[in-house]
Amino acid sequence: MALWSGRFEEGVSEFTQEYGASLPVDKAMYKQDIAGSKAHATMLAAQGVISSADAQAICAGLDDIERTIDAGEFVFDINDEDIHMAIEKVLTENIGEAGARLHTGRSRNDQVATDSRLFAKHLCDGLLDDLNDLRAVLLKLAEDNFDVILPGYTHLQHAQPVLFSHHMLAYFWMFTRDFARVANARAAADVLPLGSAALAGTTYPLNRQMVADALGFAEISKNSLDAVSDRDFLLDLDYACAVAMMHLSRLCEEVVLWSTSEFGFITLSDAFSTGSSIMPQKKNPDFAELTRGKTGRVVGDLVALLVTMKSLPLAYNKDLQEDKEGAIDAAKTLHDALTCVSGMLATMRVNPDAMLEQARKGYLAATDVADYLAKKGLPFRRAHEVVGHLVHTCEQRGCQLDDLSLDDFKAECDLFEADITRQLDLPSIVAARTVPGGTGHEAVRVQLQQAKDALQRDSRG
Ligand code: ARG
């Protein structure tokens, strides 16, 4: 019979017992559950609610249980609905009456909210480190390949040449904002619910601040109903994970494209590629694809919890038990994906020649040729049209803009001088984008320093 069985004549059926149990999921939080119980018992003794001897027996008993679980020797029994009951039951079996005093002034409702917040903070800490590892890899790629030029795209059509560094740093800043989102989720979780009891608080003279200090919470919750029934801190975590996965998915989409023979911009290491069971020549970017694919799961985790929460009346409802699985899945999936993508990028080969070859195609100088005319006084719209005609001529002749003669240029507009050829050189086109945030070499040097400073600022000792 369950720990709450006093008012019941019969136990639940085997099926409903299993259906209602969260143990398979929340046993992952055993360390947080034990830390919370030790802090609660120690505080109860300090407040004279239980004896010091009982508190000591409880803490020693909980340490024993933690060791047993660490060693994989704890027998998890599905008849214990959740990790809270599993640990309390075994504690009471092991140490007797003192164990039965642990739940004084506490409910599983504030207990599970406390465990979940501690666990969310722990998950965030791991993700912050993972994000910084990826940011460091992107930064290194940007530094090591500083002069490499590739076509920048819009609509996946060649648009303007950009530095490979600039392209890598674009992702660096996305993951910098993901770092801030995960840090926000961590801060949202950093509030102690314990002391709220089932929903209304308790009559015992609890010292909630003492528990918050022992567990490392930044503050204590201000409203017991809110504390036991909201899970917005998990939504924050789910959202941060979903956005980071979306960013990884975009990056992986480029890895997939760039590793095709059509692009050939990068070559993945064998460690991050797979073969085909039928086609002996194949080298597939499976892990980039898988990461792109797993993004759907994590978005699903966020949506699932939002929908679970949306109609719940105050305060605790059993629906809330559905909160943990998705958040744990989202964080684990993001952790694995970040680990994978960091390794994949750190070991891939960058092929500057293939990038440059493509950058030479597709009239990437066109905007600069138009700017050349506009800077000589021709209205930009008119200049745009002139260059449009020149591109049309190239299309018909099957050549590039830099294959045209000065006469060809002058035939379209007499503002063209011999110096136009300088506007067609890829490194000059790139370098001319000196505006802060642009792809010009000087601007990217500044950006590299800004990225280093940001990573340094976010470094976690
Ligand atoms: N297993 C439950 C959960 O995860 C713990 C809280 C149960 N509280 C209750 N009143 N049934 O939400």
PDB file of all heavy atoms in Angstrom, residues 22 26 81-82 84 107-109 112 231 316-318 320-321 323-324, ligand 1:
ATOM      1  N   SER A  22       5.468   8.228 -11.741  1.00  0.00           N
ATOM      2  CA  SER A  22       6.454   9.029 -12.480  1.00  0.00           C
ATOM      3  C   SER A  22       7.868   8.554 -12.186  1.00  0.00           C
ATOM      4  O   SER A  22       8.837   9.127 -12.676  1.00  0.00           O
ATOM      5  CB  SER A  22       6.313  10.512 -12.118  1.00  0.00           C
ATOM      6  OG  SER A  22       6.413  10.699 -10.717  1.00  0.00           O
ATOM      7  N   ASP A  26      11.305  10.423 -12.844  1.00  0.00           N
ATOM      8  CA  ASP A  26      11.858  11.335 -11.835  1.00  0.00           C
ATOM      9  C   ASP A  26      12.948  10.704 -10.975  1.00  0.00           C
ATOM     10  O   ASP A  26      13.569  11.398 -10.158  1.00  0.00           O
ATOM     11  CB  ASP A  26      10.760  11.999 -10.999  1.00  0.00           C
ATOM     12  CG  ASP A  26       9.875  11.032 -10.242  1.00  0.00           C
ATOM     13  OD1 ASP A  26      10.346   9.948  -9.881  1.00  0.00           O
ATOM     14  OD2 ASP A  26       8.700  11.380 -10.000  1.00  0.00           O
ATOM     15  N   GLU A  81       5.117   5.488  -6.218  1.00  0.00           N
ATOM     16  CA  GLU A  81       4.678   6.317  -7.339  1.00  0.00           C
ATOM     17  C   GLU A  81       5.805   7.158  -7.925  1.00  0.00           C
ATOM     18  O   GLU A  81       5.915   7.333  -9.138  1.00  0.00           O
ATOM     19  CB  GLU A  81       3.552   7.216  -6.813  1.00  0.00           C
ATOM     20  CG  GLU A  81       2.831   8.019  -7.837  1.00  0.00           C
ATOM     21  CD  GLU A  81       1.786   8.901  -7.143  1.00  0.00           C
ATOM     22  OE1 GLU A  81       1.047   8.372  -6.280  1.00  0.00           O
ATOM     23  OE2 GLU A  81       1.721  10.094  -7.455  1.00  0.00           O
ATOM     24  N   ASP A  82       6.627   7.688  -7.059  1.00  0.00           N
ATOM     25  CA  ASP A  82       7.664   8.587  -7.563  1.00  0.00           C
ATOM     26  C   ASP A  82       8.921   8.494  -6.698  1.00  0.00           C
ATOM     27  O   ASP A  82       8.952   7.765  -5.700  1.00  0.00           O
ATOM     28  CB  ASP A  82       7.145  10.042  -7.636  1.00  0.00           C
ATOM     29  CG  ASP A  82       6.465  10.481  -6.350  1.00  0.00           C
ATOM     30  OD1 ASP A  82       6.909  10.061  -5.254  1.00  0.00           O
ATOM     31  OD2 ASP A  82       5.466  11.248  -6.421  1.00  0.00           O
ATOM     32  N   HIS A  84      10.145  10.553  -4.682  1.00  0.00           N
ATOM     33  CA  HIS A  84       9.982  11.059  -3.304  1.00  0.00           C
ATOM     34  C   HIS A  84       9.514   9.941  -2.387  1.00  0.00           C
ATOM     35  O   HIS A  84      10.018   9.749  -1.295  1.00  0.00           O
ATOM     36  CB  HIS A  84       8.978  12.223  -3.277  1.00  0.00           C
ATOM     37  CG  HIS A  84       9.002  13.051  -4.525  1.00  0.00           C
ATOM     38  ND1 HIS A  84      10.097  13.778  -4.885  1.00  0.00           N
ATOM     39  CD2 HIS A  84       8.082  13.231  -5.519  1.00  0.00           C
ATOM     40  CE1 HIS A  84       9.855  14.376  -6.041  1.00  0.00           C
ATOM     41  NE2 HIS A  84       8.637  14.058  -6.449  1.00  0.00           N
ATOM     42  N   SER A 107       4.974  18.813   1.604  1.00  0.00           N
ATOM     43  CA  SER A 107       4.094  18.029   0.742  1.00  0.00           C
ATOM     44  C   SER A 107       4.920  17.597  -0.454  1.00  0.00           C
ATOM     45  O   SER A 107       5.943  18.218  -0.765  1.00  0.00           O
ATOM     46  CB  SER A 107       2.932  18.909   0.274  1.00  0.00           C
ATOM     47  OG  SER A 107       2.396  18.435  -0.939  1.00  0.00           O
ATOM     48  N   ARG A 108       4.467  16.562  -1.142  1.00  0.00           N
ATOM     49  CA  ARG A 108       5.187  16.232  -2.375  1.00  0.00           C
ATOM     50  C   ARG A 108       5.045  17.368  -3.387  1.00  0.00           C
ATOM     51  O   ARG A 108       5.828  17.480  -4.315  1.00  0.00           O
ATOM     52  CB  ARG A 108       4.669  14.926  -2.965  1.00  0.00           C
ATOM     53  CG  ARG A 108       5.348  13.700  -2.376  1.00  0.00           C
ATOM     54  CD  ARG A 108       4.878  12.462  -3.062  1.00  0.00           C
ATOM     55  NE  ARG A 108       3.436  12.333  -2.948  1.00  0.00           N
ATOM     56  CZ  ARG A 108       2.658  11.774  -3.869  1.00  0.00           C
ATOM     57  NH1 ARG A 108       3.173  11.286  -4.978  1.00  0.00           N
ATOM     58  NH2 ARG A 108       1.360  11.681  -3.673  1.00  0.00           N
ATOM     59  N   ASN A 109       4.012  18.201  -3.195  1.00  0.00           N
ATOM     60  CA  ASN A 109       3.830  19.288  -4.168  1.00  0.00           C
ATOM     61  C   ASN A 109       4.960  20.315  -4.110  1.00  0.00           C
ATOM     62  O   ASN A 109       5.466  20.739  -5.144  1.00  0.00           O
ATOM     63  CB  ASN A 109       2.479  19.971  -3.940  1.00  0.00           C
ATOM     64  CG  ASN A 109       1.325  19.017  -4.194  1.00  0.00           C
ATOM     65  OD1 ASN A 109       1.545  17.917  -4.703  1.00  0.00           O
ATOM     66  ND2 ASN A 109       0.118  19.413  -3.838  1.00  0.00           N
ATOM     67  N   VAL A 112       8.336  18.248  -5.089  1.00  0.00           N
ATOM     68  CA  VAL A 112       8.630  17.984  -6.502  1.00  0.00           C
ATOM     69  C   VAL A 112       9.010  19.285  -7.215  1.00  0.00           C
ATOM     70  O   VAL A 112       9.887  19.301  -8.089  1.00  0.00           O
ATOM     71  CB  VAL A 112       7.462  17.254  -7.224  1.00  0.00           C
ATOM     72  CG1 VAL A 112       6.249  18.147  -7.422  1.00  0.00           C
ATOM     73  CG2 VAL A 112       7.927  16.731  -8.580  1.00  0.00           C
ATOM     74  N   ARG A 231       5.010  25.920 -13.791  1.00  0.00           N
ATOM     75  CA  ARG A 231       6.214  25.276 -14.327  1.00  0.00           C
ATOM     76  C   ARG A 231       6.819  26.154 -15.418  1.00  0.00           C
ATOM     77  O   ARG A 231       7.442  25.658 -16.341  1.00  0.00           O
ATOM     78  CB  ARG A 231       5.863  23.888 -14.897  1.00  0.00           C
ATOM     79  CG  ARG A 231       5.340  22.885 -13.880  1.00  0.00           C
ATOM     80  CD  ARG A 231       6.421  22.473 -12.866  1.00  0.00           C
ATOM     81  NE  ARG A 231       5.939  21.433 -11.968  1.00  0.00           N
ATOM     82  CZ  ARG A 231       5.403  21.669 -10.772  1.00  0.00           C
ATOM     83  NH1 ARG A 231       5.276  22.918 -10.320  1.00  0.00           N
ATOM     84  NH2 ARG A 231       5.004  20.667 -10.014  1.00  0.00           N
ATOM     85  N   TYR A 316      -1.891  22.581  -7.370  1.00  0.00           N
ATOM     86  CA  TYR A 316      -1.314  21.392  -7.997  1.00  0.00           C
ATOM     87  C   TYR A 316      -2.394  20.535  -8.651  1.00  0.00           C
ATOM     88  O   TYR A 316      -3.473  20.333  -8.110  1.00  0.00           O
ATOM     89  CB  TYR A 316      -0.556  20.539  -6.969  1.00  0.00           C
ATOM     90  CG  TYR A 316       0.049  19.295  -7.597  1.00  0.00           C
ATOM     91  CD1 TYR A 316       1.287  19.342  -8.217  1.00  0.00           C
ATOM     92  CD2 TYR A 316      -0.654  18.091  -7.630  1.00  0.00           C
ATOM     93  CE1 TYR A 316       1.836  18.221  -8.838  1.00  0.00           C
ATOM     94  CE2 TYR A 316      -0.115  16.964  -8.245  1.00  0.00           C
ATOM     95  CZ  TYR A 316       1.126  17.040  -8.849  1.00  0.00           C
ATOM     96  OH  TYR A 316       1.657  15.938  -9.470  1.00  0.00           O
ATOM     97  N   ASN A 317      -2.110  20.048  -9.825  1.00  0.00           N
ATOM     98  CA  ASN A 317      -2.922  19.023 -10.507  1.00  0.00           C
ATOM     99  C   ASN A 317      -1.962  17.963 -11.022  1.00  0.00           C
ATOM    100  O   ASN A 317      -0.827  18.272 -11.386  1.00  0.00           O
ATOM    101  CB  ASN A 317      -3.675  19.621 -11.701  1.00  0.00           C
ATOM    102  CG  ASN A 317      -4.597  20.754 -11.291  1.00  0.00           C
ATOM    103  OD1 ASN A 317      -5.734  20.538 -10.934  1.00  0.00           O
ATOM    104  ND2 ASN A 317      -4.081  21.982 -11.315  1.00  0.00           N
ATOM    105  N   LYS A 318      -2.445  16.756 -11.067  1.00  0.00           N
ATOM    106  CA  LYS A 318      -1.573  15.640 -11.455  1.00  0.00           C
ATOM    107  C   LYS A 318      -1.040  15.806 -12.879  1.00  0.00           C
ATOM    108  O   LYS A 318       0.014  15.252 -13.231  1.00  0.00           O
ATOM    109  CB  LYS A 318      -2.340  14.317 -11.314  1.00  0.00           C
ATOM    110  CG  LYS A 318      -1.547  13.064 -11.647  1.00  0.00           C
ATOM    111  CD  LYS A 318      -0.585  12.636 -10.548  1.00  0.00           C
ATOM    112  CE  LYS A 318      -0.075  11.218 -10.813  1.00  0.00           C
ATOM    113  NZ  LYS A 318       0.916  10.789  -9.802  1.00  0.00           N
ATOM    114  N   LEU A 320       0.545  18.042 -13.925  1.00  0.00           N
ATOM    115  CA  LEU A 320       1.888  18.625 -13.813  1.00  0.00           C
ATOM    116  C   LEU A 320       2.983  17.564 -13.814  1.00  0.00           C
ATOM    117  O   LEU A 320       4.141  17.865 -14.099  1.00  0.00           O
ATOM    118  CB  LEU A 320       1.992  19.487 -12.549  1.00  0.00           C
ATOM    119  CG  LEU A 320       1.198  20.801 -12.601  1.00  0.00           C
ATOM    120  CD1 LEU A 320       1.199  21.464 -11.235  1.00  0.00           C
ATOM    121  CD2 LEU A 320       1.801  21.737 -13.641  1.00  0.00           C
ATOM    122  N   GLN A 321       2.607  16.340 -13.499  1.00  0.00           N
ATOM    123  CA  GLN A 321       3.593  15.268 -13.511  1.00  0.00           C
ATOM    124  C   GLN A 321       4.179  15.070 -14.916  1.00  0.00           C
ATOM    125  O   GLN A 321       5.254  14.499 -15.067  1.00  0.00           O
ATOM    126  CB  GLN A 321       2.948  13.971 -13.010  1.00  0.00           C
ATOM    127  CG  GLN A 321       3.901  12.809 -12.895  1.00  0.00           C
ATOM    128  CD  GLN A 321       3.314  11.668 -12.103  1.00  0.00           C
ATOM    129  OE1 GLN A 321       3.200  11.733 -10.888  1.00  0.00           O
ATOM    130  NE2 GLN A 321       2.897  10.622 -12.804  1.00  0.00           N
ATOM    131  N   ASP A 323       5.404  17.266 -16.672  1.00  0.00           N
ATOM    132  CA  ASP A 323       6.339  18.371 -16.979  1.00  0.00           C
ATOM    133  C   ASP A 323       7.779  17.941 -17.198  1.00  0.00           C
ATOM    134  O   ASP A 323       8.489  18.525 -17.999  1.00  0.00           O
ATOM    135  CB  ASP A 323       6.303  19.408 -15.835  1.00  0.00           C
ATOM    136  CG  ASP A 323       6.782  18.823 -14.488  1.00  0.00           C
ATOM    137  OD1 ASP A 323       6.920  17.593 -14.372  1.00  0.00           O
ATOM    138  OD2 ASP A 323       6.995  19.616 -13.555  1.00  0.00           O
ATOM    139  N   LYS A 324       8.178  16.867 -16.475  1.00  0.00           N
ATOM    140  CA  LYS A 324       9.619  16.602 -16.385  1.00  0.00           C
ATOM    141  C   LYS A 324      10.194  15.885 -17.597  1.00  0.00           C
ATOM    142  O   LYS A 324      11.302  16.188 -18.041  1.00  0.00           O
ATOM    143  CB  LYS A 324       9.901  15.764 -15.125  1.00  0.00           C
ATOM    144  CG  LYS A 324       9.795  16.580 -13.852  1.00  0.00           C
ATOM    145  CD  LYS A 324       9.814  15.732 -12.601  1.00  0.00           C
ATOM    146  CE  LYS A 324       8.497  15.048 -12.337  1.00  0.00           C
ATOM    147  NZ  LYS A 324       7.386  15.963 -11.999  1.00  0.00           N
TER     148      LYS A 324
HETATM  149  N1  ARG B   1       4.922  12.548  -8.854  1.00  0.00           N
HETATM  150  C1  ARG B   1       4.318  13.805  -8.666  1.00  0.00           C
HETATM  151  C2  ARG B   1       4.716  14.793  -9.772  1.00  0.00           C
HETATM  152  O1  ARG B   1       5.651  14.550 -10.423  1.00  0.00           O
HETATM  153  C3  ARG B   1       4.716  14.394  -7.347  1.00  0.00           C
HETATM  154  C4  ARG B   1       3.685  15.273  -6.735  1.00  0.00           C
HETATM  155  C5  ARG B   1       2.504  14.452  -6.394  1.00  0.00           C
HETATM  156  N2  ARG B   1       1.542  15.180  -5.645  1.00  0.00           N
HETATM  157  C6  ARG B   1       0.279  14.800  -5.527  1.00  0.00           C
HETATM  158  N3  ARG B   1      -0.502  15.523  -4.836  1.00  0.00           N
HETATM  159  N4  ARG B   1      -0.169  13.731  -6.141  1.00  0.00           N
HETATM  160  O2  ARG B   1       4.059  15.771  -9.994  1.00  0.00           O
END
